[in-house]
Amino acid sequence: MSNKNEIKAIVYTSNTGHTKEYAELLGKKVGITVLDLQKANRDIPAGSAILYMGWLMAGQVKGFKSAQKKFNIKAVCGVGMAKTGSQVEDIRKTNGVLESVPVFSLQGGFEMEKLHGVYKFMMSFMKRMIEKRQRGNNQPTPEETEMFELLKISENMVKEEYLKELIDWLEN
């Protein structure tokens, strides 16, 4: 039996729409119901097997802890600014994901204009801090430099081909 047959739904939490877009693309590709976490909490029985997708902030998969309390999470996928596949161990460690649960990461992109409230303020502040370090004597880390480049681009980086590893896991 494939993982796809065991999973009741793809459940997600999205902030700027990248995670939702990936969840919907994946659901169409593999024929699994897609629900945001609020709807899943109403419509899916406790203990049901799900694949959970959430947006990333400082390595934390948003909504994961809440989903974990109700559902049997078979895999976790974080969607953020970094390259697809690049944050898997950080996601596992930061969120306390068991070794038996596969973890995936997808690059969603960054669009400042879609952020609201505290998140917009935080990202604007981070961008200014990295700019200041680049102008000063303190050299930014390679991670900061990569993040700064993404902050400057401000675009949706969602690509169907980034789902390949997740689709392979679901179908095998």
Side-chain angles (χ1 to χ4, degrees):
M1 175 164 59
S2 72
N3 294 312
K4 180 171 80 168
N5 294 332
E6 185 180 357
I7 293 176
K8 176 94 173 149
I10 297 167
V11 177
Y12 71 90
T13 300
S14 191
N15 184 25
T16 59
H18 302 127
T19 307
K20 178 181 181 183
E21 191 174 343
Y22 272 127
E24 289 173 348
L25 276 169
L26 183 60
K28 279 184 193 165
K29 274 298 231 196
V30 297
I32 297 175
T33 300
V34 176
L35 299 167
D36 70 36
L37 183 56
Q38 285 184 327
K39 191 158 176 42
N41 278 327
R42 286 191 313 264
D43 297 351
I44 300 176
S48 295
I50 66 163
L51 183 156
Y52 184 76
M53 300 177 80
W55 62 282
L56 289 168
M57 187 173 97
Q60 183 182 28
V61 179
K62 293 300 196 172
F64 172 72
K65 296 289 183 201
S66 174
Q68 191 177 36
K69 289 176 186 172
K70 181 169 182 184
F71 302 111
N72 178 6
I73 298 177
K74 295 297 185 180
V76 177
C77 180
V79 178
M81 292 171 52
K83 292 180 179 150
T84 294
S86 66
Q87 296 177 294
V88 171
E89 285 312 309
D90 183 44
I91 291 169
R92 182 179 301 287
K93 182 180 174 187
T94 302
N95 296 278
V97 179
L98 299 173
E99 285 297 322
S100 60
V101 177
V103 174
F104 302 89
S105 73
L106 299 169
Q107 184 175 32
F110 177 76
E111 296 174 84
M112 185 73 82
E113 63 279 2
K114 288 186 176 181
L115 293 175
H116 302 284
V118 70
Y119 300 117
K120 189 169 195 165
F121 172 78
M122 288 170 40
M123 295 308 286
S124 295
F125 179 75
M126 185 184 314
K127 184 177 179 183
R128 285 193 306 275
M129 293 304 296
I130 296 170
E131 285 173 333
K132 186 176 178 182
R133 285 185 70 158
Q134 285 186 327
R135 286 191 306 265
N137 293 331
N138 298 329
Q139 284 298 313
T141 66
E143 292 81 13
E144 287 174 329
T145 300
E146 182 179 340
M147 182 174 288
F148 183 67
E149 291 304 312
L150 288 168
L151 290 171
K152 286 192 317 190
I153 294 168
S154 189
E155 70 178 282
N156 182 332
M157 303 292 286
V158 173
K159 292 183 173 73
E160 189 174 316
E161 62 259 29
Y162 291 164
L163 290 169
K164 183 184 180 339
E165 188 180 359
L166 200 44
I167 291 169
D168 289 349
W169 176 79
L170 280 165
E171 293 184 339
N172 295 316

